[in-house]
Amino acid sequence: MPWPVPRLPAVAAVAAALLLTVTSSAYADHDDRGTDPDNRNQAVKGFSLTTNGTNAMNHGKSELERSVIKTSWGGGDIEVFDANYGKSGWHGTTDCTNWNALWTSCDIIRVRLNTYQSKTAAQWRSLGCHEFGHTADLGHRAKGNDTDNNSCMRIEIWPTRYDQHDLNAIKAGT
């Protein structure tokens, strides 16, 4: 009697579930899945930034320095802009503007900081930390996995630093 042939959709579903399980455990549900840096050396350049934007960029860069990612000034990897992007619903956003040839990592990552909303100096530092976290491929944290409220990757509060969970995720993902 021949072996029964498994149904392709069932096999695909099982394979996808296994892949998601492996990926999630490696990044502790903290992978941004969208801005994988191309290496652990990132050159940073700001473009016509306001004082608040400069302070956010400087703080974000210094927070990355606490991780395995080393930064320098000059550009080519992380480009930072700030402007009044209007009532967009976001304080900052990060995206890849130039993927490598294999589409596996990002060569140029753009950080945009929105000056439309009013923020304190500490909130600008938190925003810089948060958006630079995305350049290291960190995703957002939720209250459920940041119970001590100390990760700048949270979106509903304004901590100014990465916690150990964030630093471990950067190390595991780069």
Side-chain angles (χ1 to χ4, degrees), residues 102-123:
L102 300 176
W103 289 81
T104 56
S105 63
C106 187
D107 290 330
I108 300 174
I109 301 170
R110 175 178 57 183
V111 172
R112 290 181 288 166
L113 309 170
N114 193 350
T115 62
Y116 176 77
Q117 296 95 343
S118 179
K119 291 176 273 304
T120 67
Q123 287 173 324

Side-chain angles (χ1 to χ4, degrees), residues 83-162:
N84 182 339
Y85 295 104
K87 193 175 181 178
S88 59
W90 49 265
H91 292 275
T93 187
T94 301
D95 62 337
C96 181
T97 62
N98 187 18
W99 287 95
N100 70 2
L102 300 176
W103 289 81
T104 56
S105 63
C106 187
D107 290 330
I108 300 174
I109 301 170
R110 175 178 57 183
V111 172
R112 290 181 288 166
L113 309 170
N114 193 350
T115 62
Y116 176 77
Q117 296 95 343
S118 179
K119 291 176 273 304
T120 67
Q123 287 173 324
W124 276 101
R125 286 190 304 276
S126 179
L127 180 60
C129 177
H130 182 92
E131 294 307 324
F132 272 71
H134 289 314
T135 73
D137 202 33
L138 291 181
H140 292 141
R141 298 275 300 276
K143 186 175 184 175
N145 66 7
D146 182 33
T147 55
D148 52 3
N149 297 323
N150 66 346
S151 169
C152 69
M153 297 312 295
R154 291 276 300 274
I155 56 173
E156 65 275 6
I157 60 175
W158 296 91
T160 59
R161 298 180 56 96
Y162 302 126

Side-chain angles (χ1 to χ4, degrees), residues 76-90:
D77 294 310
I78 300 171
E79 298 179 340
V80 183
F81 303 86
D82 71 353
N84 182 339
Y85 295 104
K87 193 175 181 178
S88 59
W90 49 265

